[in-house]
Amino acid sequence: MRIMMSLKHQDYTDVLKSMMFIQYFIVQSFLFTHAGDTLQSQSESIVTAIYSTTWHELPPTTMKDLALIMMRTRIPLRLSAGKFFYITRSTITDILTTALTYISFLQAMEE
């Protein structure tokens, strides 16, 4: 909305500042979501890595420990945003889509 108002008033420095802020926000969001996706995929691959080892040749106590680790990793580790939602690429895509929908709605209401 600020960008549209700045364009109306031909304040191009404000438009540039706003565009840089939006670009910074999107890059920062991508970095968080990339870290969240990487954490989740690595956490999900732990079970496969344990199962692919020669666990049946290990001592019984180690086998029990590996079984406990496999049971714990049924629920993968994830980054969450204040226990509201998990930070993944799909959530940031949904947030950006919703924001663009609101911007389109506000632009239509302004005209």
Side-chain angles (χ1 to χ4, degrees):
M1 193 71 182
R2 182 177 177 169
I3 294 174
M4 293 184 299
M5 295 302 290
S6 297
L7 283 173
K8 260 187 187 175
H9 298 293
Q10 296 179 349
D11 186 9
Y12 298 114
T13 58
D14 197 35
V15 171
L16 185 62
K17 287 179 188 177
S18 298
M19 293 295 283
M20 288 176 60
F21 174 75
I22 290 170
Q23 184 179 16
Y24 172 77
F25 172 73
I26 290 173
V27 168
Q28 185 180 19
S29 299
F30 173 75
L31 292 175
F32 279 124
T33 57
H34 180 69
D37 276 346
T38 304
L39 177 66
Q40 184 175 346
S41 67
Q42 293 292 323
S43 177
E44 290 170 349
S45 69
I46 290 174
V47 175
T48 308
I50 291 173
Y51 191 75
S52 298
T53 62
T54 56
W55 57 270
H56 54 280
E57 296 174 0
L58 296 173
T61 55
T62 307
M63 287 173 56
K64 289 179 185 177
D65 291 341
L66 290 177
L68 287 173
I69 291 171
M70 289 174 71
M71 287 181 359
R72 169 58 185 98
T73 56
R74 283 185 191 165
I75 302 170
L77 296 174
R78 298 177 183 160
L79 287 179
S80 66
K83 296 186 180 181
F84 291 111
F85 58 90
Y86 295 116
I87 299 175
T88 59
R89 285 193 190 112
S90 63
T91 55
I92 195 65
T93 303
D94 293 342
I95 290 170
L96 289 175
T97 303
T98 305
L100 290 175
T101 303
Y102 288 146
I103 289 170
S104 296
F105 177 74
L106 288 173
Q107 187 178 11
M109 292 303 290
E110 184 182 312
E111 293 173 358

